[in-house]
Amino acid sequence: MKNNYIDDLIHSVARVVKPNVPLLKDVLVIGGMPDKTQNLQYLSYNRDTTLARGLSCEFSAVAVINNRRASEWQLTGYPKKISRWVFSTRWARNPLDLFINNLRCNPSVMSVLAGATSNYTLLGILTETDLQGSGLTNRRAQYICPVVAVPGLEVNALQIIQAFESANQIKKSGIIGLELYRKTGRQMAGT
């Protein structure tokens, strides 16, 4: 495995959050890159927490996507309709499932991945928690959004990725033990 893939992936995460480079490098080396026939490679559990301006930011690298197979991995037609129903914010409790499904159902993002110069994309989850709120009436707001780190993107492709990330931001709320997810981002045109 070439080390420049790892450095490029780590560098592309820095546009969203400052990563813990040694931790992320270890996770990527141990997890490895997907084979030519694999769509993605899940990574081992990792979480890096930073505190700034009353916010707790937790970043987790969850998977490496194989850009060479993006066009075959994309969902279209009837499977896309079924997956939209199954992986809805109404029923799904795992944000990773929601983000991966929304990624696979989005033709503009999948075309960016398929046309990328890099063979791999790092998918991560960023959780921001407002530390100012407390108690029952003033609960702490928690926002979860995907991080799609594609090395070497042009401006137009980067704008598509950023629009996807902001459109898929969800707010975690609910009573203790019963967590609900509500999508707060705007829908992207063409999805």
Side-chain angles (χ1 to χ4, degrees):
M1 177 174 35
K2 293 182 180 176
N3 201 24
N4 62 344
Y5 289 147
I6 294 172
D7 294 336
D8 291 344
L9 290 173
I10 292 171
H11 178 69
S12 62
V13 169
R15 75 170 172 81
V16 178
V17 65
K18 185 179 179 194
N20 180 341
V21 176
L23 172 69
L24 191 53
K25 191 173 275 196
D26 287 346
V27 167
L28 289 171
V29 168
I30 292 168
M33 300 295 137
D35 292 331
K36 290 183 179 182
T37 57
Q38 286 181 302
N39 295 323
L40 76 156
Q41 175 73 36
Y42 288 104
L43 299 173
S44 61
Y45 176 80
N46 64 84
R47 182 172 290 169
D48 180 38
T49 304
T50 57
L51 301 173
R53 300 181 312 273
L55 287 175
S56 169
C57 298
E58 296 177 350
F59 175 74
S60 299
V62 292
V64 177
I65 299 170
N66 188 350
N67 292 342
R68 298 167 293 188
R69 293 196 41 87
S71 57
E72 292 89 8
W73 195 44
Q74 180 179 349
L75 289 174
T76 58
Y78 195 63
K80 179 179 176 178
K81 290 180 183 179
I82 291 174
S83 72
R84 285 280 191 203
W85 185 77
V86 170
F87 293 104
S88 169
T89 53
R90 291 182 207 124
W91 346 105
R93 297 292 172 247
N94 185 350
L96 177 59
D97 293 338
L98 294 172
F99 297 149
I100 287 177
N101 186 65
N102 289 341
L103 185 75
R104 292 182 68 194
C105 291
N106 191 310
S108 58
V109 173
M110 292 306 283
S111 67
V112 167
L113 296 183
T117 57
S118 171
N119 290 336
Y120 306 109
T121 296
L122 181 64
L123 178 64
I125 295 178
L126 179 65
T127 305
E128 293 181 337
T129 305
D130 184 8
L131 299 176
Q132 305 301 325
S134 63
L136 293 175
T137 58
N138 190 14
R139 291 192 185 166
R140 295 178 177 174
Q142 189 174 53
Y143 295 94
I144 305 167
C145 64
V147 175
V148 183
V150 187
L153 287 182
E154 295 178 3
V155 175
N156 294 337
L158 183 59
Q159 289 174 346
I160 292 171
I161 295 295
Q162 289 172 332
F164 172 80
E165 291 171 344
S166 66
N168 286 285
Q169 180 180 6
I170 55 179
K171 182 178 181 181
K172 186 177 174 183
S173 61
I175 309 169
I176 297 172
L178 179 64
E179 297 172 343
L180 301 172
Y181 295 105
R182 183 172 53 104
K183 193 170 186 177
T184 59
R186 292 184 173 158
Q187 280 291 84
M188 288 181 66
T191 59

PDB file of all heavy atoms in Angstrom, residues 149-177:
ATOM      1  N   ALA A 149     -14.264  13.100   2.129  1.00  0.00           N
ATOM      2  CA  ALA A 149     -12.930  13.640   1.864  1.00  0.00           C
ATOM      3  C   ALA A 149     -12.361  13.010   0.600  1.00  0.00           C
ATOM      4  O   ALA A 149     -11.887  11.883   0.614  1.00  0.00           O
ATOM      5  CB  ALA A 149     -12.014  13.382   3.052  1.00  0.00           C
ATOM      6  N   VAL A 150     -12.434  13.763  -0.499  1.00  0.00           N
ATOM      7  CA  VAL A 150     -11.920  13.306  -1.791  1.00  0.00           C
ATOM      8  C   VAL A 150     -10.683  14.141  -2.124  1.00  0.00           C
ATOM      9  O   VAL A 150     -10.786  15.357  -2.274  1.00  0.00           O
ATOM     10  CB  VAL A 150     -12.975  13.479  -2.909  1.00  0.00           C
ATOM     11  CG1 VAL A 150     -12.496  12.853  -4.202  1.00  0.00           C
ATOM     12  CG2 VAL A 150     -14.315  12.907  -2.494  1.00  0.00           C
ATOM     13  N   PRO A 151      -9.525  13.528  -2.231  1.00  0.00           N
ATOM     14  CA  PRO A 151      -8.308  14.291  -2.539  1.00  0.00           C
ATOM     15  C   PRO A 151      -8.312  14.859  -3.968  1.00  0.00           C
ATOM     16  O   PRO A 151      -8.813  14.226  -4.897  1.00  0.00           O
ATOM     17  CB  PRO A 151      -7.189  13.255  -2.404  1.00  0.00           C
ATOM     18  CG  PRO A 151      -7.763  12.153  -1.597  1.00  0.00           C
ATOM     19  CD  PRO A 151      -9.231  12.138  -1.913  1.00  0.00           C
ATOM     20  N   GLY A 152      -7.769  16.049  -4.098  1.00  0.00           N
ATOM     21  CA  GLY A 152      -7.510  16.647  -5.404  1.00  0.00           C
ATOM     22  C   GLY A 152      -8.726  17.044  -6.207  1.00  0.00           C
ATOM     23  O   GLY A 152      -8.733  16.873  -7.429  1.00  0.00           O
ATOM     24  N   LEU A 153      -9.753  17.590  -5.592  1.00  0.00           N
ATOM     25  CA  LEU A 153     -10.952  17.987  -6.326  1.00  0.00           C
ATOM     26  C   LEU A 153     -10.822  19.396  -6.886  1.00  0.00           C
ATOM     27  O   LEU A 153     -10.182  20.261  -6.291  1.00  0.00           O
ATOM     28  CB  LEU A 153     -12.178  17.951  -5.410  1.00  0.00           C
ATOM     29  CG  LEU A 153     -12.717  16.595  -5.029  1.00  0.00           C
ATOM     30  CD1 LEU A 153     -13.960  16.765  -4.161  1.00  0.00           C
ATOM     31  CD2 LEU A 153     -13.048  15.769  -6.243  1.00  0.00           C
ATOM     32  N   GLU A 154     -11.474  19.616  -8.019  1.00  0.00           N
ATOM     33  CA  GLU A 154     -11.579  20.959  -8.569  1.00  0.00           C
ATOM     34  C   GLU A 154     -12.692  21.700  -7.837  1.00  0.00           C
ATOM     35  O   GLU A 154     -13.458  21.104  -7.078  1.00  0.00           O
ATOM     36  CB  GLU A 154     -11.871  20.888 -10.064  1.00  0.00           C
ATOM     37  CG  GLU A 154     -10.745  20.263 -10.866  1.00  0.00           C
ATOM     38  CD  GLU A 154     -11.074  20.161 -12.335  1.00  0.00           C
ATOM     39  OE1 GLU A 154     -12.158  20.637 -12.750  1.00  0.00           O
ATOM     40  OE2 GLU A 154     -10.256  19.603 -13.072  1.00  0.00           O
ATOM     41  N   VAL A 155     -12.824  22.985  -8.095  1.00  0.00           N
ATOM     42  CA  VAL A 155     -13.764  23.839  -7.361  1.00  0.00           C
ATOM     43  C   VAL A 155     -15.206  23.374  -7.540  1.00  0.00           C
ATOM     44  O   VAL A 155     -15.958  23.281  -6.562  1.00  0.00           O
ATOM     45  CB  VAL A 155     -13.602  25.314  -7.804  1.00  0.00           C
ATOM     46  CG1 VAL A 155     -14.644  26.198  -7.145  1.00  0.00           C
ATOM     47  CG2 VAL A 155     -12.205  25.809  -7.484  1.00  0.00           C
ATOM     48  N   ASN A 156     -15.627  23.063  -8.758  1.00  0.00           N
ATOM     49  CA  ASN A 156     -17.015  22.646  -8.999  1.00  0.00           C
ATOM     50  C   ASN A 156     -17.338  21.334  -8.291  1.00  0.00           C
ATOM     51  O   ASN A 156     -18.409  21.181  -7.705  1.00  0.00           O
ATOM     52  CB  ASN A 156     -17.291  22.505 -10.500  1.00  0.00           C
ATOM     53  CG  ASN A 156     -17.211  23.834 -11.223  1.00  0.00           C
ATOM     54  OD1 ASN A 156     -17.368  24.884 -10.614  1.00  0.00           O
ATOM     55  ND2 ASN A 156     -16.968  23.782 -12.517  1.00  0.00           N
ATOM     56  N   ALA A 157     -16.433  20.391  -8.358  1.00  0.00           N
ATOM     57  CA  ALA A 157     -16.648  19.103  -7.701  1.00  0.00           C
ATOM     58  C   ALA A 157     -16.666  19.271  -6.183  1.00  0.00           C
ATOM     59  O   ALA A 157     -17.477  18.635  -5.500  1.00  0.00           O
ATOM     60  CB  ALA A 157     -15.564  18.114  -8.116  1.00  0.00           C
ATOM     61  N   LEU A 158     -15.816  20.138  -5.663  1.00  0.00           N
ATOM     62  CA  LEU A 158     -15.787  20.389  -4.226  1.00  0.00           C
ATOM     63  C   LEU A 158     -17.096  21.023  -3.762  1.00  0.00           C
ATOM     64  O   LEU A 158     -17.602  20.695  -2.687  1.00  0.00           O
ATOM     65  CB  LEU A 158     -14.604  21.286  -3.861  1.00  0.00           C
ATOM     66  CG  LEU A 158     -14.408  21.586  -2.387  1.00  0.00           C
ATOM     67  CD1 LEU A 158     -14.211  20.304  -1.581  1.00  0.00           C
ATOM     68  CD2 LEU A 158     -13.238  22.529  -2.185  1.00  0.00           C
ATOM     69  N   GLN A 159     -17.680  21.889  -4.571  1.00  0.00           N
ATOM     70  CA  GLN A 159     -18.963  22.506  -4.226  1.00  0.00           C
ATOM     71  C   GLN A 159     -20.078  21.463  -4.167  1.00  0.00           C
ATOM     72  O   GLN A 159     -20.955  21.538  -3.308  1.00  0.00           O
ATOM     73  CB  GLN A 159     -19.319  23.605  -5.216  1.00  0.00           C
ATOM     74  CG  GLN A 159     -18.450  24.828  -5.079  1.00  0.00           C
ATOM     75  CD  GLN A 159     -18.702  25.858  -6.161  1.00  0.00           C
ATOM     76  OE1 GLN A 159     -19.349  25.581  -7.174  1.00  0.00           O
ATOM     77  NE2 GLN A 159     -18.181  27.058  -5.959  1.00  0.00           N
ATOM     78  N   ILE A 160     -20.046  20.477  -5.037  1.00  0.00           N
ATOM     79  CA  ILE A 160     -21.041  19.403  -5.015  1.00  0.00           C
ATOM     80  C   ILE A 160     -20.900  18.589  -3.731  1.00  0.00           C
ATOM     81  O   ILE A 160     -21.893  18.252  -3.084  1.00  0.00           O
ATOM     82  CB  ILE A 160     -20.909  18.512  -6.268  1.00  0.00           C
ATOM     83  CG1 ILE A 160     -21.325  19.295  -7.519  1.00  0.00           C
ATOM     84  CG2 ILE A 160     -21.729  17.232  -6.136  1.00  0.00           C
ATOM     85  CD1 ILE A 160     -21.023  18.596  -8.825  1.00  0.00           C
ATOM     86  N   ILE A 161     -19.674  18.282  -3.354  1.00  0.00           N
ATOM     87  CA  ILE A 161     -19.430  17.524  -2.124  1.00  0.00           C
ATOM     88  C   ILE A 161     -19.873  18.322  -0.902  1.00  0.00           C
ATOM     89  O   ILE A 161     -20.531  17.790   0.003  1.00  0.00           O
ATOM     90  CB  ILE A 161     -17.936  17.130  -2.009  1.00  0.00           C
ATOM     91  CG1 ILE A 161     -17.541  16.170  -3.138  1.00  0.00           C
ATOM     92  CG2 ILE A 161     -17.618  16.542  -0.647  1.00  0.00           C
ATOM     93  CD1 ILE A 161     -18.231  14.833  -3.103  1.00  0.00           C
ATOM     94  N   GLN A 162     -19.548  19.604  -0.849  1.00  0.00           N
ATOM     95  CA  GLN A 162     -19.949  20.439   0.276  1.00  0.00           C
ATOM     96  C   GLN A 162     -21.463  20.589   0.361  1.00  0.00           C
ATOM     97  O   GLN A 162     -22.031  20.602   1.458  1.00  0.00           O
ATOM     98  CB  GLN A 162     -19.282  21.811   0.185  1.00  0.00           C
ATOM     99  CG  GLN A 162     -17.794  21.759   0.457  1.00  0.00           C
ATOM    100  CD  GLN A 162     -17.096  23.081   0.188  1.00  0.00           C
ATOM    101  OE1 GLN A 162     -17.538  23.876  -0.640  1.00  0.00           O
ATOM    102  NE2 GLN A 162     -15.987  23.307   0.882  1.00  0.00           N
ATOM    103  N   ALA A 163     -22.134  20.684  -0.786  1.00  0.00           N
ATOM    104  CA  ALA A 163     -23.602  20.756  -0.795  1.00  0.00           C
ATOM    105  C   ALA A 163     -24.200  19.454  -0.265  1.00  0.00           C
ATOM    106  O   ALA A 163     -25.188  19.477   0.483  1.00  0.00           O
ATOM    107  CB  ALA A 163     -24.106  21.043  -2.206  1.00  0.00           C
ATOM    108  N   PHE A 164     -23.600  18.317  -0.624  1.00  0.00           N
ATOM    109  CA  PHE A 164     -24.070  17.029  -0.104  1.00  0.00           C
ATOM    110  C   PHE A 164     -23.908  16.967   1.410  1.00  0.00           C
ATOM    111  O   PHE A 164     -24.814  16.537   2.125  1.00  0.00           O
ATOM    112  CB  PHE A 164     -23.317  15.878  -0.773  1.00  0.00           C
ATOM    113  CG  PHE A 164     -23.609  14.534  -0.164  1.00  0.00           C
ATOM    114  CD1 PHE A 164     -24.763  13.851  -0.495  1.00  0.00           C
ATOM    115  CD2 PHE A 164     -22.742  13.973   0.758  1.00  0.00           C
ATOM    116  CE1 PHE A 164     -25.047  12.622   0.083  1.00  0.00           C
ATOM    117  CE2 PHE A 164     -23.017  12.748   1.339  1.00  0.00           C
ATOM    118  CZ  PHE A 164     -24.170  12.072   0.990  1.00  0.00           C
ATOM    119  N   GLU A 165     -22.756  17.390   1.898  1.00  0.00           N
ATOM    120  CA  GLU A 165     -22.502  17.350   3.340  1.00  0.00           C
ATOM    121  C   GLU A 165     -23.498  18.222   4.116  1.00  0.00           C
ATOM    122  O   GLU A 165     -24.042  17.796   5.133  1.00  0.00           O
ATOM    123  CB  GLU A 165     -21.069  17.792   3.639  1.00  0.00           C
ATOM    124  CG  GLU A 165     -20.028  16.811   3.179  1.00  0.00           C
ATOM    125  CD  GLU A 165     -18.611  17.346   3.271  1.00  0.00           C
ATOM    126  OE1 GLU A 165     -18.422  18.575   3.413  1.00  0.00           O
ATOM    127  OE2 GLU A 165     -17.674  16.528   3.196  1.00  0.00           O
ATOM    128  N   SER A 166     -23.737  19.428   3.624  1.00  0.00           N
ATOM    129  CA  SER A 166     -24.671  20.302   4.343  1.00  0.00           C
ATOM    130  C   SER A 166     -26.112  19.843   4.184  1.00  0.00           C
ATOM    131  O   SER A 166     -26.915  20.006   5.106  1.00  0.00           O
ATOM    132  CB  SER A 166     -24.506  21.751   3.883  1.00  0.00           C
ATOM    133  OG  SER A 166     -24.891  21.881   2.535  1.00  0.00           O
ATOM    134  N   ALA A 167     -26.465  19.235   3.063  1.00  0.00           N
ATOM    135  CA  ALA A 167     -27.834  18.750   2.856  1.00  0.00           C
ATOM    136  C   ALA A 167     -28.144  17.544   3.726  1.00  0.00           C
ATOM    137  O   ALA A 167     -29.305  17.281   4.028  1.00  0.00           O
ATOM    138  CB  ALA A 167     -28.042  18.395   1.386  1.00  0.00           C
ATOM    139  N   ASN A 168     -27.133  16.805   4.150  1.00  0.00           N
ATOM    140  CA  ASN A 168     -27.351  15.589   4.923  1.00  0.00           C
ATOM    141  C   ASN A 168     -27.046  15.746   6.407  1.00  0.00           C
ATOM    142  O   ASN A 168     -26.919  14.756   7.120  1.00  0.00           O
ATOM    143  CB  ASN A 168     -26.538  14.443   4.331  1.00  0.00           C
ATOM    144  CG  ASN A 168     -27.160  13.954   3.062  1.00  0.00           C
ATOM    145  OD1 ASN A 168     -28.174  13.275   3.091  1.00  0.00           O
ATOM    146  ND2 ASN A 168     -26.597  14.345   1.933  1.00  0.00           N
ATOM    147  N   GLN A 169     -26.951  16.969   6.879  1.00  0.00           N
ATOM    148  CA  GLN A 169     -26.759  17.203   8.311  1.00  0.00           C
ATOM    149  C   GLN A 169     -28.042  16.819   9.034  1.00  0.00           C
ATOM    150  O   GLN A 169     -29.139  17.146   8.598  1.00  0.00           O
ATOM    151  CB  GLN A 169     -26.430  18.660   8.572  1.00  0.00           C
ATOM    152  CG  GLN A 169     -26.221  18.972  10.027  1.00  0.00           C
ATOM    153  CD  GLN A 169     -25.895  20.438  10.261  1.00  0.00           C
ATOM    154  OE1 GLN A 169     -25.932  21.252   9.355  1.00  0.00           O
ATOM    155  NE2 GLN A 169     -25.583  20.771  11.477  1.00  0.00           N
ATOM    156  N   ILE A 170     -27.892  16.104  10.141  1.00  0.00           N
ATOM    157  CA  ILE A 170     -29.059  15.713  10.925  1.00  0.00           C
ATOM    158  C   ILE A 170     -28.881  16.170  12.366  1.00  0.00           C
ATOM    159  O   ILE A 170     -27.766  16.334  12.849  1.00  0.00           O
ATOM    160  CB  ILE A 170     -29.316  14.190  10.870  1.00  0.00           C
ATOM    161  CG1 ILE A 170     -28.084  13.392  11.294  1.00  0.00           C
ATOM    162  CG2 ILE A 170     -29.783  13.751   9.518  1.00  0.00           C
ATOM    163  CD1 ILE A 170     -28.269  11.894  11.292  1.00  0.00           C
ATOM    164  N   LYS A 171     -30.021  16.405  13.005  1.00  0.00           N
ATOM    165  CA  LYS A 171     -30.013  16.822  14.404  1.00  0.00           C
ATOM    166  C   LYS A 171     -30.474  15.646  15.245  1.00  0.00           C
ATOM    167  O   LYS A 171     -31.512  15.050  14.984  1.00  0.00           O
ATOM    168  CB  LYS A 171     -30.940  18.009  14.617  1.00  0.00           C
ATOM    169  CG  LYS A 171     -30.943  18.513  16.044  1.00  0.00           C
ATOM    170  CD  LYS A 171     -31.828  19.725  16.204  1.00  0.00           C
ATOM    171  CE  LYS A 171     -31.781  20.212  17.643  1.00  0.00           C
ATOM    172  NZ  LYS A 171     -32.652  21.373  17.832  1.00  0.00           N
ATOM    173  N   LYS A 172     -29.688  15.325  16.243  1.00  0.00           N
ATOM    174  CA  LYS A 172     -30.013  14.235  17.149  1.00  0.00           C
ATOM    175  C   LYS A 172     -30.775  14.822  18.331  1.00  0.00           C
ATOM    176  O   LYS A 172     -30.315  15.762  18.969  1.00  0.00           O
ATOM    177  CB  LYS A 172     -28.736  13.552  17.621  1.00  0.00           C
ATOM    178  CG  LYS A 172     -28.934  12.334  18.453  1.00  0.00           C
ATOM    179  CD  LYS A 172     -27.579  11.735  18.765  1.00  0.00           C
ATOM    180  CE  LYS A 172     -27.669  10.584  19.708  1.00  0.00           C
ATOM    181  NZ  LYS A 172     -26.357  10.053  20.051  1.00  0.00           N
ATOM    182  N   SER A 173     -31.939  14.269  18.578  1.00  0.00           N
ATOM    183  CA  SER A 173     -32.744  14.757  19.697  1.00  0.00           C
ATOM    184  C   SER A 173     -33.529  13.592  20.276  1.00  0.00           C
ATOM    185  O   SER A 173     -33.462  12.476  19.780  1.00  0.00           O
ATOM    186  CB  SER A 173     -33.699  15.859  19.220  1.00  0.00           C
ATOM    187  OG  SER A 173     -34.586  15.355  18.242  1.00  0.00           O
ATOM    188  N   GLY A 174     -34.287  13.865  21.316  1.00  0.00           N
ATOM    189  CA  GLY A 174     -35.116  12.838  21.925  1.00  0.00           C
ATOM    190  C   GLY A 174     -34.840  12.671  23.391  1.00  0.00           C
ATOM    191  O   GLY A 174     -33.960  13.296  23.973  1.00  0.00           O
ATOM    192  N   ILE A 175     -35.611  11.797  23.980  1.00  0.00           N
ATOM    193  CA  ILE A 175     -35.489  11.486  25.398  1.00  0.00           C
ATOM    194  C   ILE A 175     -34.345  10.496  25.566  1.00  0.00           C
ATOM    195  O   ILE A 175     -33.998   9.760  24.646  1.00  0.00           O
ATOM    196  CB  ILE A 175     -36.808  10.864  25.903  1.00  0.00           C
ATOM    197  CG1 ILE A 175     -37.984  11.744  25.497  1.00  0.00           C
ATOM    198  CG2 ILE A 175     -36.797  10.681  27.401  1.00  0.00           C
ATOM    199  CD1 ILE A 175     -39.323  11.103  25.705  1.00  0.00           C
ATOM    200  N   ILE A 176     -33.784  10.430  26.749  1.00  0.00           N
ATOM    201  CA  ILE A 176     -32.689   9.506  27.023  1.00  0.00           C
ATOM    202  C   ILE A 176     -33.152   8.085  26.710  1.00  0.00           C
ATOM    203  O   ILE A 176     -34.182   7.636  27.181  1.00  0.00           O
ATOM    204  CB  ILE A 176     -32.235   9.613  28.493  1.00  0.00           C
ATOM    205  CG1 ILE A 176     -31.695  11.015  28.757  1.00  0.00           C
ATOM    206  CG2 ILE A 176     -31.209   8.559  28.829  1.00  0.00           C
ATOM    207  CD1 ILE A 176     -31.409  11.298  30.207  1.00  0.00           C
ATOM    208  N   GLY A 177     -32.408   7.384  25.903  1.00  0.00           N
ATOM    209  CA  GLY A 177     -32.734   6.006  25.530  1.00  0.00           C
ATOM    210  C   GLY A 177     -33.532   5.900  24.248  1.00  0.00           C
ATOM    211  O   GLY A 177     -33.578   4.858  23.625  1.00  0.00           O
TER     212      GLY A 177
END
